[in-house]
Amino acid sequence: MKSNKLVNFRFSKKLIEYDYSINFMKKHINEMKKNNADELLWFLEHHSIFTAGTSAKKEDQNIINKNQIRYVGRGGQWTWHGPGQRVIYIMLDLKRRKRDVKEFINCLEKWLISTLSFFSLDVILRDNYPGVWIRKNNDYYKIASIGLRISNWITWHGISINYEPDLKYFDQIIPCGVRNSFVTSLKEQNIKISINELDEVLKEKFFMFF
């Protein structure tokens, strides 16, 4: 699923307000639709926020601060974003590649697996369970998530990797609606790397699949 068109990379050092990021993506993909903007991958971290995708169920959350809830149009269910979690918003035009959503998601999964495997993590996919997982002692721990929206074959929203967040936030939700499983991070798995190292590998591996 490759394109010869220019893909820009944007790296935000400061925490980004979630509402600002949504408005930015809407404007950017609208410009892409008019061929006035290049494709873009935006690497960032958010202030603490809980987001509910189109399949989210009210009973799957007991969020204390209701002001931190946002209902969004991406696929998926409940998740949390915040400091220590690398979020990558992916604004690509599938008309320049292949109009195949399933293949695009498959490429995202391969990208995540290739990146995390580079840091010696044994990660897997699970049938019918979105995201990338680690299995230990017959338990499953989610380390990366995928949540997308596609408008006129232009993708937005994206992926997240738990780098070193406070995992206690996830206790307030059933992440992605998957019960009897857990959430983990690179830090919890004793992977000691900088966020810049993670970003460098993500950027390098991206061109293997897109």
Side-chain angles (χ1 to χ4, degrees), residues 63-209:
I63 297 167
I64 298 169
N65 184 352
K66 304 302 183 185
N67 292 325
Q68 289 189 349
I69 295 176
R70 295 293 185 274
Y71 292 89
V72 296
R74 62 160 174 78
Q77 302 188 42
W78 288 99
T79 196
W80 171 85
H81 297 308
Q85 183 189 74
R86 177 50 99 207
V87 172
I88 307 170
Y89 288 132
I90 301 166
M91 289 157 269
L92 299 179
D93 189 346
L94 297 188
K95 296 190 297 294
R96 300 176 180 178
R97 292 171 169 78
K98 187 176 181 180
R99 303 187 194 197
D100 188 324
V101 176
K102 185 175 181 181
E103 181 175 335
F104 178 68
I105 293 173
N106 183 251
C107 287
L108 291 176
E109 292 171 338
K110 289 179 179 178
W111 179 32
L112 286 166
I113 289 172
S114 180
T115 298
L116 294 171
S117 296
F118 179 86
F119 298 110
S120 301
L121 274 177
D122 186 13
V123 291
I124 62 171
L125 301 176
R126 297 175 66 191
D127 290 340
N128 302 316
Y129 294 99
V132 176
W133 301 76
I134 292 172
R135 184 179 182 182
K136 284 192 173 184
N137 301 322
N138 294 320
D139 287 323
Y140 291 94
Y141 298 80
K142 192 169 193 177
I143 194 167
S145 299
I146 299 172
L148 292 171
R149 184 169 179 177
I150 298 177
S151 303
N152 298 106
W153 294 105
I154 294 176
T155 69
W156 53 307
H157 295 274
I159 64 175
S160 62
I161 300 173
N162 294 329
Y163 169 62
E164 54 177 12
D166 183 348
L167 296 175
K168 291 181 180 178
Y169 284 102
F170 289 99
D171 293 341
Q172 298 180 52
I173 57 174
I174 304 296
C176 303
V178 182
R179 299 180 184 276
N180 301 317
S181 61
F182 307 94
V183 178
T184 191
S185 67
L186 288 164
K187 181 179 180 180
E188 190 174 67
Q189 297 301 318
N190 296 314
I191 304 299
K192 299 178 181 179
I193 59 170
S194 70
I195 193 67
N196 290 335
E197 288 178 288
L198 176 61
D199 288 345
E200 287 173 6
V201 175
L202 282 163
K203 185 176 180 180
E204 179 183 347
K205 298 286 187 180
F206 173 80
F207 293 103
M208 294 173 59
F209 305 104

